[in-house]
Amino acid sequence: MMQLSFSPSMRSLTISSSNGFADLMKIKIAARHFSYRTLFHAILILAFLLPFVFILTAVVTLESVPNCSSSLGCLGRRWGPSFLGRADASERLVRDLYMILNDVNTAAVPNDLELPDSFSQLVLEMKNHQYDARTFAFMLRAMMEKFEREIRESKFAELMNKHFAATSIPKGIHCLSLRLTDEYSSNVHARVQLPSPELLPLLSDNSYHHFILSTDNVLAASVVVASAVQSSLKPEKIVFHVITDKKTYSAMHSWFALNPVSPAIIEVKGIHQFDWLMKENIPVLEAVENNKGVRTYYHGNHIAGAKVDDTTPRMFASKLQWKSPKYISLLNHLRIYIPELFPNLEKVVFLDDDIVIQRDLSPLWELDLGGKVNGAVETCRGEDDWVMSKHFKNYFNFSNPLIAKHLDPDECAWAYGMNIFDLRAWRKTDIRETYEYWLKENLKSNMTMWKLGTLPPALIAFRDHVHPIDPSWHMLGLGYQIKTNVESVKKAAVIHYNGQSKPWLQIGFDHLRPFWSKYVNHSNDFVRSCRILES
């Protein structure tokens, strides 16, 4: 309340609040006489000021308006409760609620707490049982933790299902392979020699542009070849060496025999047709395929022993990606033997089967690799921090003494999938021997150096033999990066669907699939009858 006081000397009049706030007004009075006129002015001021202060304080406080419309209103809202001798109820409620939540956050949730299934049910139970604030806070915390756990488990289950979808053969592609295999046995045109006898000398002619593709996926191979030929300025200079396994050879041969891509030249060979490989090097890779630990790793229960709470979905997805059985396939390791498999070739471009060529690649044969063996895109720098942020530490276990001794965790990694190889320079190195040595060492260590794949041993074997090429030649990540920039995709010479979401799978990204599917031969009878790309 307001107080009115005179000084002992009766020379001044002070107006102040009763709760210790600063004086509101101080009026000096003449030293020797007290003027009625002065008293009249003081009373007049008080009569005008006090009602205004009280009314303003009461109105602003009681209305509890969230925002102030004027500076005076804000002043009244701030000081009003104090003038009235009480604290702001809403502020007190917030403080009390914070104290309860902070206490509940550090306490153990009661075991006998029965949780409602939804927020509306929680509100209903609060109304019926009149829970106190502490019980309400416990129930809210327990419900949030339960929902977070269920969402996390659901995410991991989704990743597992995606892994199985990525490692299985789609029904349409399986159908296509079976139909073509049958055609090979019954149709003489499907067994025609590839290439025709008069073109055989061109298979080792170094004035041509030689591509090597190793795959057991007929549909994927058809897209790679079609995109290369259609994007080339000189398709008549293209020679494709398609390598496949024994079980897919008939189907692969049938496809290219019945669907020629002239003027380009196509050769289809099975692994079993390479005498050098069968005699000397199959035992090395058979050890990889037949190793018990390897087979358990790639064909066992991938979720057994995985602790959901100890990893993130992204880390779990990355581990699953490295569990693809393709990494123990001989076809996948075949690229390390290219100089011996093609002894007469000098320069080749090696392609993965999950790529699409969108621009003429003939300039790659003109690149000066500076005496290096492997022209590749580095993956440790670029606009995409997720895709282009790979160093050796992303692939190797540096807690292993042998790895820590020989490798630098911050060394830049590079990409497989589209590589220009100078085979003349390669044949002067020990790249293959180094690759096989580290492959064996990893098996001896029970795969503690890296989880099997072709890139980690290649990163070691090709050290000091890699020439970085412009990133526009090879864009990666279309098989796992859903946020891939479509405009960047259009500009890239080669786009790579590395990752689980291959464009021929239902889990492929819809906005990225058209870049691949436009090279599928939809007019082919087998493609139509096998309902390729249909859901």
Side-chain angles (χ1 to χ4, degrees):
M1 57 185 298
M2 305 300 296
Q3 291 182 344
L4 187 67
S5 59
F6 290 92
S7 66
S9 63
M10 297 296 290
R11 293 185 179 181
S12 64
L13 172 67
T14 303
I15 304 171
S16 64
S17 64
S18 61
N19 53 4
F21 283 107
D23 297 341
L24 296 178
M25 182 174 294
K26 195 167 187 178
I27 303 173
K28 291 185 178 181
I29 304 174
R32 297 186 179 181
H33 64 275
F34 189 85
S35 169
Y36 287 103
R37 185 174 180 176
T38 301
L39 179 61
F40 173 76
H41 287 163
I43 294 173
L44 187 62
I45 292 172
L46 289 175
F48 172 77
L49 182 61
L50 294 182
F52 174 77
V53 171
F54 278 112
I55 292 172
L56 180 63
T57 300
V59 170
V60 174
T61 303
L62 295 176
E63 283 185 349
S64 299
V65 180
N67 297 313
C68 302
S69 59
S70 67
S71 57
L72 285 175
C74 291
L75 182 64
R77 177 165 175 77
R78 177 173 295 181
W79 299 111
S82 299
F83 281 130
L84 296 177
R86 61 183 181 85
D88 190 331
S90 62
E91 293 181 1
R92 185 172 63 249
L93 178 61
V94 170
R95 287 197 301 271
D96 292 344
L97 182 60
Y98 171 76
M99 292 178 61
I100 293 172
L101 292 175
N102 190 51
D103 179 49
V104 167
N105 185 49
T106 56
V109 177
N111 295 327
D112 58 347
L113 203 61
E114 295 184 8
L115 300 180
D117 296 325
S118 64
F119 183 75
S120 58
Q121 187 178 344
L122 173 62
V123 173
L124 182 62
E125 291 193 11
M126 285 290 298
K127 179 181 178 181
N128 295 337
H129 297 89
Q130 297 294 311
Y131 292 135
D132 58 30
R134 182 179 174 82
T135 303
F136 170 77
F138 266 124
M139 295 186 73
L140 200 59
R141 172 190 164 188
M143 285 179 65
M144 292 182 66
E145 290 178 350
K146 174 188 174 185
F147 292 149
E148 288 175 357
R149 187 166 54 252
E150 290 176 350
I151 291 172
R152 188 177 177 83
E153 291 173 353
S154 176
K155 181 63 177 178
F156 278 81
E158 176 190 347
L159 292 173
M160 276 303 306
N161 292 334
K162 188 174 183 179
H163 170 71
F164 291 133
T167 55
S168 62
I169 301 175
K171 183 171 62 176
I173 293 180
H174 183 63
C175 166
L176 180 64
S177 185
L178 291 178
R179 293 289 302 276
L180 289 169
T181 300
D182 181 64
E183 197 71 10
Y184 184 84
S185 62
S186 60
N187 185 348
V188 65
H189 297 291
R191 297 192 301 274
V192 68
Q193 183 176 343
L194 289 178
S196 56
E198 65 273 15
L199 296 178
L200 287 177
L202 301 182
L203 296 180
S204 56
D205 188 336
N206 285 292
S207 67
Y208 282 73
H209 299 149
H210 294 266
F211 292 91
I212 297 175
L213 172 64
S214 177
T215 180
D216 61 355
N217 186 327
V218 177
L219 183 65
S222 73
V223 168
V224 174
V225 173
S227 65
V229 174
Q230 293 180 36
S231 302
S232 176
L233 298 178
K234 296 180 179 179
E236 68 278 2
K237 299 293 289 184
I238 289 179
V239 177
F240 254 98
H241 305 269
V242 180
I243 307 172
T244 190
D245 56 19
K246 190 172 185 178
K247 66 179 176 60
T248 314
Y249 173 77
S250 299
M252 192 73 74
H253 191 283
S254 292
W255 176 267
F256 288 106
L258 298 174
N259 300 278
V261 288
S262 57
I265 299 168
I266 304 295
E267 175 191 33
V268 178
K269 296 195 73 171
I271 291 177
H272 58 288
Q273 295 174 323
F274 288 97
D275 293 338
W276 175 87
L277 184 65
M278 296 299 294
K279 291 178 181 178
E280 298 188 29
N281 289 283
I282 283 292
V284 175
L285 296 180
E286 279 184 343
V288 174
E289 290 185 316
N290 297 328
N291 181 279
K292 184 178 179 181
V294 171
R295 297 195 66 81
T296 300
Y297 179 78
Y298 284 101
H299 298 284
N301 186 345
H302 294 161
I303 203 168
K307 296 181 179 180
V308 173
D309 295 335
D310 294 343
T311 187
T312 65
R314 179 174 174 178
M315 291 174 59
F316 187 65
S318 178
K319 290 178 180 179
L320 287 178
Q321 185 174 336
W322 286 105
K323 285 178 176 284
S324 173
K326 75 175 184 178
Y327 291 119
I328 59 173
S329 166
L330 177 57
L331 282 173
N332 212 37
H333 290 271
L334 200 64
R335 67 194 86 191
I336 203 67
Y337 302 116
I338 289 176
E340 291 80 11
L341 298 179
F342 299 94
N344 297 317
L345 297 183
E346 297 177 352
K347 213 169 190 180
V348 301
V349 167
F350 183 88
L351 300 172
D352 277 352
D353 64 0
D354 54 354
I355 64 101
V356 171
I357 299 169
Q358 303 185 126
R359 199 168 73 218
D360 179 45
L361 297 186
S362 57
L364 289 175
W365 276 265
E366 308 303 323
L367 280 180
D368 181 7
L369 299 183
K372 303 294 185 181
V373 173
N374 179 7
V377 168
E378 291 184 318
T379 55
C380 63
R381 59 182 67 89
E383 295 181 1
D384 193 327
D385 293 335
W386 191 2
V387 177
M388 304 296 284
S389 59
K390 304 297 189 297
H391 297 79
F392 275 29
K393 60 188 174 186
N394 297 103
Y395 299 98
F396 298 100
N397 174 21
F398 277 87
S399 64
N400 182 286
L402 199 58
I403 292 293
K405 179 180 178 181
H406 290 90
L407 303 181
D408 177 4
D410 295 319
E411 186 169 342
C412 188
W414 46 267
Y416 254 159
M418 197 287 292
N419 305 82
I420 176 75
F421 290 128
D422 185 337
L423 302 186
R424 293 168 300 181
W426 191 336
R427 294 185 183 102
K428 298 175 184 178
T429 69
D430 60 352
I431 289 174
R432 175 172 64 86
E433 292 79 8
T434 303
Y435 184 95
E436 292 178 342
Y437 167 80
W438 282 95
L439 206 61
K440 293 176 183 177
E441 288 298 315
N442 194 34
L443 286 175
K444 289 179 184 177
S445 70
N446 197 27
M447 297 181 297
T448 59
M449 295 183 179
W450 71 84
K451 296 305 180 184
L452 279 182
T454 54
L455 183 56
L459 290 175
I460 302 177
F462 281 99
R463 288 186 78 196
D464 302 322
H465 297 294
V466 178
H467 176 77
I469 62 176
D470 193 279
S472 65
W473 283 111
H474 185 190
M475 183 178 184
L476 299 115
L478 276 71
Y480 66 87
Q481 171 62 294
I482 192 172
K483 296 181 180 178
T484 301
N485 187 296
V486 173
E487 291 304 315
S488 298
V489 173
K490 294 177 182 178
K491 298 175 184 177
V494 172
I495 54 175
H496 195 172
Y497 291 83
N498 58 311
Q500 292 179 317
S501 300
K502 305 299 184 188
W504 56 81
L505 299 174
Q506 289 188 3
I507 60 174
F509 302 128
D510 291 336
H511 66 296
L512 300 177
R513 184 180 286 115
F515 293 96
W516 180 87
S517 61
K518 69 180 181 180
Y519 293 105
V520 173
N521 186 356
H522 295 283
S523 64
N524 182 271
D525 291 338
F526 294 149
V527 170
R528 291 204 309 268
S529 63
C530 289
R531 306 172 70 88
I532 298 294
L533 296 182
E534 292 185 15
S535 56

